[in-house]
Amino acid sequence: MNNVWVTRLRFAPSPTGYLHVGGARTALFNWLYARRHGGVFVLRIEDTDVERSQAEMVTGILDGLRWLGIDWDEGPEVGGPHAPYYQSQRLERYRAAAKQLLDSGQAFEDGGAIRFKVPPGKTTFVDSVHGPIEFDNEHIESFVILRSDTHPTYHLSVVCDDIDMAITHVVRGDDHISNTPKQVLLYNAFGKTPPTFAHVPLIMGADKQRLSKRHGATSVMEYEKLGYLPEAMFNFLALLGWGTGSNDELLTKDELVQRFNLEGISGGNAVFNTEKLDWFNHQYLLKLTDEELVARVGGLGAWGLEGLGKDPAWSSRVLALLRPRCKRLTEYRDQLTPFFEGPTSYDPDGVKKHLSAPEAREHLEALRQAYIATGDWTEVALEKCLRELAEARSAKAATLIHGTRIAMTGRMVSPGLFEMLVLLGRERVVDRLARLIAALAGLP
Ligand code: GLU
């Protein structure tokens, strides 16, 4: 039995594409509100558009929600008292509803389709974000509710399901405001009270245009591939168009649940700021312990992380070196590589810029000898050794510094060179210098 006092929200995606950040944010607001009020969060798949809906998109949407940590109490895979949760399996219900309106004279047939007969007057509703909204029915055409192929239109199916599933609050994108009067008319026609509506602002790119591929990744799962943590994405999305009313930004899932309310949703458009997302991600990465961090980085793919697990003290020092500079898991993966394997190629620009003089090789060889001989394998000693050698040979210290970096990483940028040398250890440093020296001999 439905208890009218139970707060029930739903996310109702059409599986015509992957889970977009805008959709994810809508799902998240509904989820937060349901959790805040001890309610129920329903997932319903609106797949009545047979041509555009694809089963693999449903899988993609479920994966995206799960990755973000949004669980559903009723819906695909979990079932529930109002099953089925796929609109394509509820067609008979919509046909019966259309017939009901036809029989009661509130709809009429028109060339095989069934249209709703819009009554005269005005249609009003109070939007939790935008306040009272009024539409003059004169401007609402007698819209189709059941097509001639007996498939329902969105307005009919969404209202039937929201009634049947006892939905109390509909939180969805601003682009649905103009659909709402038609839906309110249908609620009235069925003799039901409409739910509370909250239309949330759309998400814009930095140029204030609607977020699209042009702005970068739009599918939630792309963000996983780009090295973002789901908890950072969750926090970031929760603050896209909603605010706590204070300066607090770093909020855990539980804190967001405690604080979420419809009043905090802003009427203005929300801007998707990638730098801000990076900031959140960095903060969440910094919260992870070394062990957790290694586990997350390892989760990115088959890559030799065993080394980090083997020597926790050494790993901690490596990670401490990288923590301030890595904002995404992919950056860790990239920056960790030189600690495990020598370069497979050398940045040609770096070689040209710093190592094209014939003496460069000899300087590097002298440094290699000095590093074989030095007793003190510390940052200070290694730097001192390099600078003294440069001076003695009337070479530029920069040549040796950049040359050594290229020898260690193949690249022109890396974390602090001497810290890195200490962590790599004498054997690897000397060996990689030798490999670069040999490679330079082969260059014209
Ligand atoms: N299937 C609709 C959409 O994806 C749902 C809109 C609604 O929440 O009513 O836009």
Side-chain angles (χ1 to χ4, degrees):
M1 285 300 287
N2 283 321
N3 177 341
V4 288
W5 300 109
V6 173
T7 303
R8 292 176 57 91
L9 291 95
R10 51 44 167 206
F11 176 51
S14 305
T16 53
Y18 290 108
L19 184 63
H20 182 272
V21 287
R25 196 270 317 253
T26 299
L28 200 142
F29 281 9
N30 281 283
W31 183 91
L32 284 172
Y33 193 86
R35 292 291 172 262
R36 171 77 188 89
H37 295 277
V40 173
F41 177 63
V42 177
L43 177 60
R44 182 173 73 225
I45 305 298
E46 305 213 321
D47 57 349
T48 51
D49 186 344
V50 194
E51 266 158 39
R52 294 181 62 224
S53 300
Q54 291 174 34
E56 69 181 77
M57 295 303 176
V58 175
T59 315
I61 290 169
L62 304 191
D63 287 348
L65 292 173
R66 268 192 288 254
W67 179 71
L68 274 174
I70 297 177
D71 57 345
W72 51 99
D73 308 305
E74 295 176 24
E77 295 180 4
V78 300
H82 304 282
Y85 292 92
Y86 287 82
Q87 288 194 330
S88 60
Q89 295 169 24
R90 304 174 66 85
L91 297 176
E92 284 313 318
R93 168 73 182 98
Y94 313 131
R95 288 169 191 153
K99 185 165 183 303
Q100 183 191 335
L101 295 184
L102 206 54
D103 290 348
S104 62
Q106 298 177 95
F108 61 96
E109 261 192 85
D110 176 23
I114 299 179
R115 286 179 184 274
F116 181 71
K117 208 181 276 173
V118 176
K122 290 185 194 312
T123 302
T124 56
F125 62 95
V126 179
D127 189 287
S128 292
V129 177
H130 300 277
I133 296 184
E134 185 181 275
F135 282 82
D136 200 323
N137 293 3
E138 245 177 59
H139 303 304
I140 308 174
E141 36 137 30
S142 292
F143 54 96
V144 173
I145 53 174
L146 202 72
R147 297 180 217 278
S148 52
D149 66 4
T150 75
H151 273 77
T153 58
Y154 156 65
H155 297 300
L156 180 65
S157 54
V158 83
V159 169
C160 282
D161 287 349
D162 285 342
I163 290 173
D164 291 353
M165 297 180 184
I167 298 302
T168 56
H169 297 72
V170 168
V171 180
R172 61 186 177 189
D174 256 0
D175 48 338
H176 285 293
I177 289 187
S178 59
N179 290 328
T180 309
K182 292 180 185 170
Q183 296 170 14
V184 168
L185 285 169
L186 287 175
Y187 278 96
N188 295 343
F190 289 123
K192 303 286 180 188
T193 310
T196 298
F197 290 103
H199 287 95
V200 303
L202 298 181
I203 301 177
M204 302 290 160
D207 57 359
K208 304 278 158 67
Q209 300 295 308
R210 197 169 171 174
L211 193 70
S212 74
K213 283 270 170 225
R214 269 181 316 111
H215 298 103
T218 53
S219 139
V220 167
M221 294 313 273
E222 273 177 78
Y223 284 88
E224 181 187 26
K225 292 199 193 81
L226 290 169
Y228 292 96
L229 297 171
E231 56 270 43
M233 195 74 190
F234 191 101
N235 193 161
F236 171 74
L237 287 176
L239 294 176
L240 266 188
W242 174 77
T244 55
S246 72
N247 289 331
D248 300 351
E249 288 186 306
L250 267 186
L251 297 164
T252 63
K253 235 168 127 178
D254 285 346
E255 288 167 335
L256 287 165
V257 167
Q258 288 314 310
R259 297 172 73 155
F260 190 77
N261 54 19
L262 298 180
E263 294 73 48
I265 298 176
S266 104
N269 286 327
V271 174
F272 191 99
N273 178 340
T274 310
E275 277 167 32
K276 190 81 201 193
L277 172 59
D278 283 349
W279 178 82
F280 273 108
N281 209 51
H282 197 197
Q283 299 307 310
Y284 278 90
L285 282 168
L286 292 174
K287 284 191 196 190
L288 299 178
T289 63
D290 288 343
E291 252 182 11
E292 289 166 341
L293 183 56
V294 170
R296 299 286 191 109
V297 174
L300 278 173
W303 179 66
L305 274 171
E306 305 80 44
L308 279 175
K310 270 186 211 143
D311 186 345
W314 178 77
S315 305
S316 272
R317 290 167 66 198
V318 172
L319 293 175
L321 184 60
L322 302 187
R323 278 183 185 271
R325 51 172 36 228
C326 293
K327 297 196 170 78
R328 298 194 252 129
L329 289 170
T330 41
E331 290 172 356
Y332 274 103
R333 189 179 173 192
D334 182 55
Q335 303 265 345
L336 278 167
T337 310
F339 290 94
F340 297 96
E341 42 189 59
T344 48
S345 64
Y346 299 107
D347 181 336
D349 291 340
V351 170
K352 196 165 155 208
K353 187 161 173 212
H354 301 292
L355 302 170
S356 54
E359 321 78 75
R361 267 189 72 210
E362 286 149 35
H363 294 326
L364 284 176
E365 176 56 24
L367 182 69
R368 193 178 78 91
Q369 295 300 336
Y371 280 172
I372 290 174
T374 186
D376 192 4
W377 197 260
T378 60
E379 260 169 68
V380 176
L382 293 178
E383 178 163 4
K384 189 159 169 266
C385 177
L386 181 143
R387 290 192 186 277
E388 281 173 5
L389 184 101
E391 206 172 315
R393 300 181 62 90
S394 307
K396 278 193 254 163
T399 301
L400 286 169
I401 290 174
H402 293 300
T404 307
R405 177 174 288 120
I406 291 170
M408 299 306 124
T409 65
R411 309 174 198 171
M412 284 168 78
V413 261
S414 77
L417 178 65
F418 298 103
E419 290 159 282
M420 189 169 179
L421 296 183
V422 170
L423 290 166
L424 282 172
R426 191 193 312 259
E427 201 182 313
R428 270 183 285 199
V429 170
V430 167
D431 176 57
R432 288 185 195 180
L433 279 169
R435 276 160 61 192
L436 175 61
I437 293 162
L440 289 176
L443 294 176

